[in-house]
Amino acid sequence: MRIGVLVSGGGTNLEALLTAIDEGRVKSGRVVTVVSNKAGAGALPRAARRGINCRVISREEFGEAAEGEILAHMKAKKVELVVLAGFTAILGEALLKAYPRRLINIHPSLLPAFCGCGYYGIRVHEAALRRGVKITGATVHFVNEIVDGGEIILQKAVPVLRGDTAKTLQRRVMEKAEWVILPKAVELICSGKIK
Ligand code: GRF
C-alpha cells in the first residue's frame, strides 16, 4: 500500500514508521510522500535523508486552499493510506471523503481521555499530570469528523511515575507506546487485517 504521511513537528513517529519499514516489521506498505504544514518541521530532513518525496503545504502559502492542495498531492502520488504523525491542523471534509477508513492518527493518550480541541502535544501530558492519572498511553485511531473521535485501532498503556514532568511523561509515552503502535496499526491496515 502506498502511504502518505502528514507531519508538523519533530517527526519521531515518522522515523519509527520508516525504521519499522526498513526492518521489515511493516512489510505491506511504503511511504511515498511526506507533507508538512510547517516549513521548519524536523520531520522533513528525516524523510529527505531517505530520499522520500517531501512537500510543504502551509496555510500561510495556500490559505483556505491548503487542504485541497494536500488532497491533490496525495492523489498525484497515488497514496492509498494517509497517516497523521504529529499533524497539528484539523482536517476538513475533503480528505475525509477521499480516504474513508484510510486516514489514521496517533494521539498521545488513552482515548477518550484528554482529547479534542486544545489537547495536543505536551498539553495532553500536562492535563494527565494535573488530573493525577496513574496510567496513560497512546491511541491509533481512524480519523472522522469528530476531533480524536474516530474508531480506535490500537492502544498501549504506560505508567505515570512519581516525579514525572510533562516532558518525561511525553518521552515515555512516545518511546513505549506511540513508536510501537503506529507501525503496528499501519501494518494491520496495509496487510488487509483491518477492513
Ligand atoms: C506525538 O506525541 C503525537 O502523538 C502527537 O504529536 C506528537 C508528534 O511527535 N499527535 P513527532 O513529530 O512524531 O515527534
Side-chain angles (χ1 to χ4, degrees):
M1 208 175 239
R2 295 171 68 84
I3 303 167
V5 183
L6 287 177
V7 296
S8 306
T12 61
N13 279 286
L14 169 69
E15 186 80 43
L17 177 59
L18 295 175
T19 303
I21 292 170
D22 289 348
E23 293 176 359
R25 284 177 283 124
V26 172
K27 299 186 275 292
S28 319
R30 67 188 173 100
V31 176
V32 296
T33 188
V34 173
V35 175
S36 173
N37 62 345
K38 303 263 186 282
L44 292 169
R46 292 180 193 267
R49 257 201 305 277
R50 288 173 151 98
I52 296 169
N53 168 271
C54 296
R55 253 199 88 183
V56 176
I57 301 177
S58 66
R59 280 233 153 204
E60 292 72 34
E61 191 179 343
F62 288 93
E64 293 291 312
E67 186 164 336
E69 190 64 26
I70 293 174
L71 179 54
H73 177 74
M74 292 292 170
K75 289 286 172 199
K77 292 286 169 198
K78 299 190 169 58
V79 165
E80 297 160 284
L81 172 68
V82 178
V83 176
L84 309 190
F87 186 65
T88 50
I90 292 171
L91 292 177
E93 264 194 358
L95 259 138
L96 292 177
K97 281 210 169 121
Y99 288 98
R101 292 177 72 84
R102 286 290 175 269
L103 188 49
I104 66 172
N105 182 44
I106 175 97
H107 184 78
S109 76
L110 293 174
L111 290 179
F114 311 118
C115 71
C117 287
Y119 285 100
Y120 58 86
I122 197 81
R123 293 172 187 218
V124 177
H125 307 289
E126 287 166 353
L129 288 177
R130 259 198 314 276
R131 191 67 182 82
V133 294
K134 305 302 173 217
I135 293 168
T136 183
T139 304
V140 182
H141 63 92
F142 285 113
V143 178
N144 67 7
E145 63 292 345
I146 303 158
V147 177
D148 298 323
E151 287 160 283
I152 290 169
I153 301 167
L154 287 176
Q155 291 189 303
K156 191 162 188 285
V158 167
V160 179
L161 301 181
R162 196 190 296 252
D164 260 341
T165 63
K167 281 215 171 282
T168 60
L169 185 56
Q170 179 181 46
R171 183 73 197 178
R172 187 175 316 113
V173 168
M174 282 179 148
E175 274 179 12
K176 305 280 185 219
E178 297 185 38
W179 303 344
V180 177
I181 60 174
L182 184 63
K184 267 192 187 163
V186 166
E187 178 58 17
L188 286 172
I189 294 170
C190 290
S191 61
K193 295 204 174 86
I194 295 179
K195 297 291 180 216

